[in-house]
Amino acid sequence: MENINYFFSPKSVAVIGASREKGKVGYAIFSDLLDKYAGEVIPVNPNATEILGRPCYPDITKVPKDVDLAVISVPAKFVPQVIRGCRKKKVRAVIIISAGFGEIGNKNLEHKILKEKGNMRIVGPNCLGIFDSTSGVDTLFLPEDKLKRPKPGNIAFITQSGAVGSVVLDMLSSEGYGMSKFISYGNGIDLNEIDFLEYLGNDDKTGVICLYIEGTKDGRSLMKTAKKVVKKKPILVLKAGRTHEGTAAVSSHTGSLAGQDEVYDAAFRQAGMIRVDDVRDMFDYAEALSSQPPAKGHNILIVTNGGGFGVVATDEAIHEGLKLPQLADETVKELQKCLPPYVKVHNPLDLGGDADSKRYAAALEIAGSDKNIDAVLCIVLFQTVSLNPEVVDVVAEFAKKSGKPIVTCSAGGEYVQKLMHKLEERGVPVFNSPYMAVKALWCLAKYGEILKKAQ
Amino acid sequence: MENINYFFSPKSVAVIGASREKGKVGYAIFSDLLDKYAGEVIPVNPNATEILGRPCYPDITKVPKDVDLAVISVPAKFVPQVIRGCRKKKVRAVIIISAGFGEIGNKNLEHKILKEKGNMRIVGPNCLGIFDSTSGVDTLFLPEDKLKRPKPGNIAFITQSGAVGSVVLDMLSSEGYGMSKFISYGNGIDLNEIDFLEYLGNDDKTGVICLYIEGTKDGRSLMKTAKKVVKKKPILVLKAGRTHEGTAAVSSHTGSLAGQDEVYDAAFRQAGMIRVDDVRDMFDYAEALSSQPPAKGHNILIVTNGGGFGVVATDEAIHEGLKLPQLADETVKELQKCLPPYVKVHNPLDLGGDADSKRYAAALEIAGSDKNIDAVLCIVLFQTVSLNPEVVDVVAEFAKKSGKPIVTCSAGGEYVQKLMHKLEERGVPVFNSPYMAVKALWCLAKYGEILKKAQ
């Protein structure tokens, strides 16, 4: 554990293969670290004496200071000797960005690295490395204008595939969600998903863990670790290679053994991990889990100003195993006092096409606190004449105070998207289809169930 | 048919209940028509002599010119006498925007209207009415800054629920897709979904028909009409009220009888309509069908620069009943000539994290024209270092020339979203998850199958 800390908050970082040439990976990593990381950043490159104003050393062993973390971006064949140097220098942690190892059949080169590593811990090779939103460690080597970095937040991502991880990171950032840590471990010759799962389980900054894997080297210990972690925070897992064809594609992609999907499926279930099938689901579920408490049960309330959307959401909720209970008698009575007589009070609660913010406030406050209700799906069609942007405050206030999970559904063009962003900024997840909103609620109920079982 | 034309391209429109007060429905409709509609627009209101510079008449019978279309926005109880006036005036077509009829139990008022209508055709009551992107007829009464209007295009939408329809319209507009006609028919006391299905089947401007219904008054004739239309263009249908709970919600929403879902399901299948379960699916499928030809079979090629995305898409394609055939020997040979040796040539075709536009061009041109391939799923992770925006041209050019359907998958923040929009503007559908891209391809293959059966 202690060693793993050096990846996220080292006192000093050396970039081996740092470059002055814009467009090179060694430039992107070095300049990014200089910009964002508060500690010492040291370039290492035999062909330069200075890079971006910092003295450059020909060799890691020539650096006149202690180095906690080394980031390596040199051609694959040079990596073993660089690792030897790092060990001599007593570097604590190493990220090998370089590709050209096991993933193209060069297993031998990986063995050489392992022989040289000593007590050092390694992330990679063939990876994007680490992003830590608090310390500023960032080895992603994709410029900010192409790939946005998320603000600090409580979602962590461990990914075997750099591409999948970086796309989710980019999506989360652009929708205003925050991340704690991002780990792309590539071939995982030393540290892998299991080590980081355990680490993130104990990380105060992390509230939700997302995991993308194509295979694992040790299913038993992955499950054992996961079982411990899910008592503290939810784990979402996207395991690619479900079908015969997908499995074949995996073996060509990372050389992992994808294994029998049924076995994975049962194991994930037993360990209390929540399995997703798609990148978008992973992203949507993480949004919901990062801001909302788990639901205590499967009973939901649907509130809407679009009857059709309410019906579609109801169909989908039932289909996903959620329930729409009757509202308690006293709830119905109280609602009838506040709502116009033509609004029929039941669940789903259709407030009418002429609903305003006040009607939403009454519905959420009264029906939302009904003892039969575990969670709320609030559909808001911002386009209607009678609804003004104030409804954002109404929903956000309810989310803050109620103690029950809420997700919202809205969709439309620019005007609506602005208001959707506002809701998200205030910690209320918004989905652009009833289907995704219902699935997110399902996920919150699922995690509630997992927690109950784990007790 | 001829009468229905008056709704979309009348020579003159009277707005009964036109108002000078901003924020009123009667103002929004009148001023919108003045702005966009090229023909004559006449305000009718007993309390004004002039509105926005146009002479206003106290009564439709007092209008000194022929009126093709009357749009009625007056309180429900006055509607029957207004209809009587319209008949006297020999108005051809009437849209009743006003609510307060069958949907709240006032069936009687609807009977009164039908008694007065004579030969006139009626859309509504309780509806948004009509939007025609070519003629400029627009009775949607939601200001443009809240609800964008789509540019001219080939997607048509018939909807029983105004809210569902307007949200889809807003989403299509904001993603740059075009629509031909939009019809919200509300309670449908005269014209309903069947009439408009038949009409749009013969409409040159319409290439894809979307239909949202909660029930139908005449299942048999809906199916008969659909069967004819699907030979010419695809019909997507979202029928809400699938579950017991959803059905109950429908009867409270529009008073429709939702009926047994299995019966609907079988009928849609027999008629060759494509059923969707969610608003988002409706929207995504329409995007694909509006720009891409149907697929001749279920054999797809997946091209990607993110291995993980390729695997996820492969799993999902197989799950949806699509196939990933081997590429022909000559295709493999030719590809190997153009791609670096470490790119393994098979399907899914992972071009590598360092793929550039040229690799995409080679892959699409060579593998895309393989005789075993019916359709292409092109995954483009724009974030990578080596890929520049030129790849948009490569994909768009392929889409234009190949004759085979293509859909793309991409996701990310601002930078990526701009490029996604560019692709869409050039007629290539883009989805932000492998799942939706695969479903869109499935839909293109489904319509290919429906066409074959219909021959």
Side-chain angles (χ1 to χ4, degrees):
Chain A
M1 276 307 131
E2 202 195 312
N3 269 350
I4 294 187
N5 273 327
Y6 289 114
F7 286 98
F8 300 105
S9 29
K11 284 209 191 77
S12 55
V13 184
V15 179
I16 304 176
S19 166
R20 313 175 229 238
E21 253 182 84
K22 279 193 186 182
K24 290 256 176 179
V25 171
Y27 175 87
I29 295 176
F30 180 65
S31 64
D32 254 17
L33 282 168
L34 266 191
D35 274 2
K36 294 185 228 157
Y37 171 62
E40 183 111 35
V41 187
I42 307 152
V44 175
N45 185 334
N47 306 315
T49 53
E50 175 257 300
I51 297 179
L52 294 174
R54 304 284 163 131
C56 180
Y57 303 92
D59 186 304
I60 184 76
T61 59
K62 300 292 188 316
V63 175
K65 302 163 197 174
D66 284 348
V67 173
D68 282 349
L69 172 65
V71 184
I72 301 176
S73 168
V74 301
K77 61 181 175 184
F78 300 127
V79 172
Q81 76 194 56
V82 167
I83 291 290
R84 194 182 316 147
C86 287
R87 191 186 59 194
K88 251 195 205 158
K89 178 68 194 161
K90 298 210 168 75
V91 169
R92 311 291 192 127
V94 174
I95 300 171
I96 307 172
I97 302 294
S98 324
F101 295 86
E103 81 280 7
I104 58 160
N106 255 340
K107 285 269 177 209
N108 200 26
L109 214 50
E110 292 181 351
H111 293 311
K112 279 188 189 157
I113 293 174
L114 289 173
K115 257 193 219 156
E116 298 289 357
K117 82 177 240 327
N119 291 324
M120 291 188 305
R121 301 312 305 260
I122 294 177
V123 166
N126 181 31
C127 69
L128 295 180
I130 303 279
F131 168 80
D132 183 314
S133 63
T134 313
S135 73
V137 169
D138 180 347
T139 68
L140 303 188
F141 69 82
L142 294 162
E144 284 255 11
D145 57 350
K146 272 196 162 185
L147 184 89
K148 279 218 171 185
R149 307 304 201 264
K151 62 181 187 194
N154 67 356
I155 301 172
F157 203 120
I158 308 169
T159 180
Q160 192 170 359
S161 155
V164 169
S166 60
V167 167
V168 172
L169 184 125
D170 199 13
M171 286 166 84
L172 282 167
S173 319
S174 82
E175 306 220 353
Y177 277 78
M179 281 188 104
S180 55
K181 294 176 172 65
F182 171 90
I183 302 131
S184 152
Y185 64 91
N187 298 3
I189 58 170
D190 178 30
L191 293 168
N192 60 30
E193 77 283 359
I194 304 167
D195 304 290
F196 287 108
L197 208 53
E198 177 139 30
Y199 180 83
L200 293 174
N202 295 312
D203 177 34
D204 288 344
K205 297 216 163 66
T206 297
V208 183
I209 303 172
C210 299
L211 181 60
Y212 172 86
I213 54 173
E214 300 187 349
T216 183
K217 283 166 187 158
D218 185 354
R220 205 172 292 266
S221 92
L222 172 61
M223 297 312 137
K224 206 175 131 194
T225 305
K227 224 169 189 166
K228 274 191 303 185
V229 172
V230 297
K231 287 182 194 168
K232 292 183 275 184
K233 48 196 88 174
I235 302 174
L236 299 169
V237 59
L238 175 54
K239 156 78 180 67
R242 296 203 77 149
T243 58
H244 174 70
E245 289 80 352
T247 309
V250 159
S251 95
S252 133
H253 177 219
T254 45
S256 293
L257 265 144
Q260 279 240 292
D261 192 63
E262 299 75 24
V263 179
Y264 275 103
D265 216 47
F268 290 147
R269 214 172 26 246
Q270 265 181 30
M273 296 161 96
I274 299 170
R275 187 170 192 175
V276 300
D277 282 331
D278 194 64
V279 184
R280 184 77 220 180
D281 288 358
M282 169 84 93
F283 170 77
D284 285 340
Y285 290 180
E287 283 198 354
L289 289 164
S290 77
S291 65
Q292 299 304 304
K296 295 216 168 91
H298 286 68
N299 290 321
I300 68 162
L301 165 72
I302 297 178
V303 179
T304 183
N305 64 337
F309 270 75
V311 178
V312 170
T314 299
D315 280 342
E316 285 162 344
I318 299 301
H319 192 254
E320 295 296 325
L322 299 171
K323 282 172 198 159
L324 277 85
Q326 300 273 336
L327 296 170
D329 287 349
E330 59 271 27
T331 309
V332 174
K333 264 182 221 149
E334 237 188 296
L335 279 172
Q336 279 167 339
K337 274 186 231 159
C338 304
L339 297 172
Y342 53 87
V343 169
K344 291 167 207 157
V345 174
H346 44 49
N347 188 8
L349 183 54
D350 179 2
L351 298 174
D354 60 339
D356 56 10
S357 302
K358 277 184 197 154
R359 259 185 240 175
Y360 271 94
L364 290 175
E365 204 161 302
I366 300 167
S369 59
D370 187 299
K371 62 182 190 309
N372 297 336
I373 297 299
D374 300 315
V376 178
L377 166 51
C378 187
I379 299 168
V380 188
L381 306 181
F382 289 109
Q383 290 96 339
T384 64
V385 178
S386 53
L387 203 60
N388 64 35
E390 221 176 80
V391 70
V392 167
D393 298 318
V394 168
V395 176
E397 281 304 306
F398 173 80
K400 213 168 119 189
K401 282 193 281 182
S402 80
K404 290 178 187 177
I406 180 169
V407 304
T408 59
C409 168
S410 192
E414 266 170 57
Y415 170 77
V416 171
Q417 279 167 25
K418 259 186 216 161
L419 295 172
M420 288 166 72
H421 270 285
K422 273 198 187 158
L423 264 176
E424 283 179 325
E425 274 164 22
R426 297 187 60 177
V428 182
V430 190
F431 302 96
N432 71 6
S433 83
Y435 178 66
M436 281 318 308
V438 161
K439 295 258 286 185
L441 270 191
W442 168 86
C443 178
L444 291 168
K446 183 78 198 168
Y447 186 54
E449 203 184 293
I450 289 166
L451 279 180
K452 251 188 231 166
K453 272 192 204 155
Q455 242 92 76
Chain B
M1 276 304 130
E2 201 196 313
N3 268 350
I4 294 188
N5 273 327
Y6 289 114
F7 286 99
F8 301 105
S9 29
K11 284 208 192 78
S12 56
V13 184
V15 179
I16 304 177
S19 166
R20 325 174 220 241
E21 253 183 85
K22 278 193 187 183
K24 291 257 176 175
V25 170
Y27 175 88
I29 295 176
F30 180 65
S31 64
D32 255 17
L33 283 169
L34 266 191
D35 274 2
K36 294 184 228 155
Y37 172 62
E40 182 111 36
V41 188
I42 307 151
V44 174
N45 185 333
N47 305 315
T49 52
E50 174 258 299
I51 298 179
L52 295 174
R54 305 285 163 132
C56 181
Y57 303 92
D59 187 303
I60 184 74
T61 57
K62 301 292 187 318
V63 175
K65 302 162 199 178
D66 282 348
V67 173
D68 281 350
L69 172 65
V71 184
I72 301 176
S73 169
V74 302
K77 60 180 174 184
F78 300 126
V79 172
Q81 76 194 59
V82 167
I83 291 290
R84 193 182 317 148
C86 288
R87 192 187 58 193
K88 251 195 207 161
K89 178 69 194 160
K90 297 210 168 76
V91 169
R92 309 294 191 127
V94 173
I95 301 173
I96 308 171
I97 303 293
S98 324
F101 295 85
E103 81 281 6
I104 57 161
N106 256 341
K107 286 271 178 208
N108 200 24
L109 215 48
E110 292 180 352
H111 292 313
K112 280 188 188 159
I113 293 173
L114 290 173
K115 257 194 220 158
E116 298 288 357
K117 84 177 234 330
N119 290 324
M120 293 187 301
R121 301 314 305 259
I122 295 177
V123 166
N126 183 32
C127 69
L128 295 179
I130 303 279
F131 168 80
D132 183 314
S133 63
T134 312
S135 73
V137 169
D138 180 346
T139 67
L140 303 188
F141 69 81
L142 293 162
E144 284 256 10
D145 57 348
K146 273 197 161 184
L147 184 90
K148 279 216 170 187
R149 307 304 201 264
K151 62 182 185 195
N154 66 356
I155 301 173
F157 203 120
I158 308 170
T159 181
Q160 191 170 0
S161 156
V164 169
S166 60
V167 167
V168 171
L169 183 125
D170 199 14
M171 287 166 85
L172 282 168
S173 319
S174 82
E175 306 217 353
Y177 277 78
M179 282 188 103
S180 55
K181 293 175 172 68
F182 171 91
I183 302 130
S184 153
Y185 64 90
N187 298 3
I189 58 169
D190 177 29
L191 292 169
N192 60 31
E193 77 282 0
I194 304 168
D195 303 290
F196 287 109
L197 208 53
E198 177 138 33
Y199 180 82
L200 293 174
N202 294 313
D203 178 34
D204 288 344
K205 297 215 164 66
T206 298
V208 183
I209 303 173
C210 299
L211 180 60
Y212 173 86
I213 53 172
E214 301 187 348
T216 182
K217 283 168 189 158
D218 185 354
R220 203 172 293 266
S221 93
L222 173 60
M223 298 312 138
K224 207 176 132 194
T225 305
K227 224 170 189 165
K228 274 190 302 183
V229 172
V230 297
K231 287 183 195 170
K232 293 183 273 184
K233 47 196 91 173
I235 303 174
L236 298 169
V237 59
L238 175 54
K239 156 80 179 65
R242 296 204 77 149
T243 59
H244 174 69
E245 290 80 353
T247 308
V250 158
S251 94
S252 132
H253 178 219
T254 43
S256 291
L257 263 144
Q260 278 240 293
D261 193 62
E262 299 75 24
V263 178
Y264 274 104
D265 217 47
F268 291 147
R269 214 171 28 245
Q270 266 183 29
M273 297 161 95
I274 300 171
R275 186 170 191 175
V276 300
D277 281 331
D278 196 63
V279 184
R280 184 77 220 178
D281 288 359
M282 169 83 94
F283 171 77
D284 286 340
Y285 290 179
E287 283 199 354
L289 289 164
S290 77
S291 64
Q292 300 303 305
K296 296 217 168 89
H298 285 67
N299 290 321
I300 68 163
L301 165 73
I302 296 179
V303 179
T304 182
N305 63 337
F309 270 76
V311 177
V312 170
T314 300
D315 280 342
E316 284 162 345
I318 299 301
H319 191 254
E320 296 296 325
L322 299 171
K323 284 174 196 157
L324 277 86
Q326 301 272 337
L327 297 169
D329 288 347
E330 60 272 24
T331 309
V332 173
K333 266 183 221 149
E334 237 188 296
L335 277 173
Q336 279 167 339
K337 274 186 233 160
C338 305
L339 297 172
Y342 53 86
V343 169
K344 292 167 205 156
V345 174
H346 43 48
N347 188 9
L349 182 55
D350 180 2
L351 298 174
D354 61 338
D356 56 10
S357 302
K358 276 183 197 152
R359 260 185 239 174
Y360 270 94
L364 290 176
E365 204 162 302
I366 300 166
S369 59
D370 186 301
K371 64 182 188 311
N372 298 335
I373 298 298
D374 300 316
V376 179
L377 166 51
C378 186
I379 299 169
V380 188
L381 306 181
F382 289 109
Q383 290 96 340
T384 65
V385 179
S386 54
L387 203 60
N388 65 34
E390 221 176 82
V391 70
V392 167
D393 298 318
V394 168
V395 175
E397 279 304 306
F398 173 80
K400 213 168 118 189
K401 281 192 281 184
S402 81
K404 289 179 188 176
I406 181 170
V407 304
T408 59
C409 168
S410 191
E414 266 170 58
Y415 171 77
V416 171
Q417 278 166 25
K418 259 186 216 160
L419 295 171
M420 289 166 72
H421 270 283
K422 272 197 187 157
L423 264 175
E424 283 178 326
E425 274 165 21
R426 295 188 59 179
V428 183
V430 190
F431 302 95
N432 71 6
S433 84
Y435 178 65
M436 281 319 307
V438 161
K439 294 257 286 185
L441 270 190
W442 168 86
C443 177
L444 292 168
K446 183 77 198 168
Y447 187 54
E449 204 183 291
I450 288 166
L451 279 180
K452 250 189 234 165
K453 271 192 205 157
Q455 241 95 76

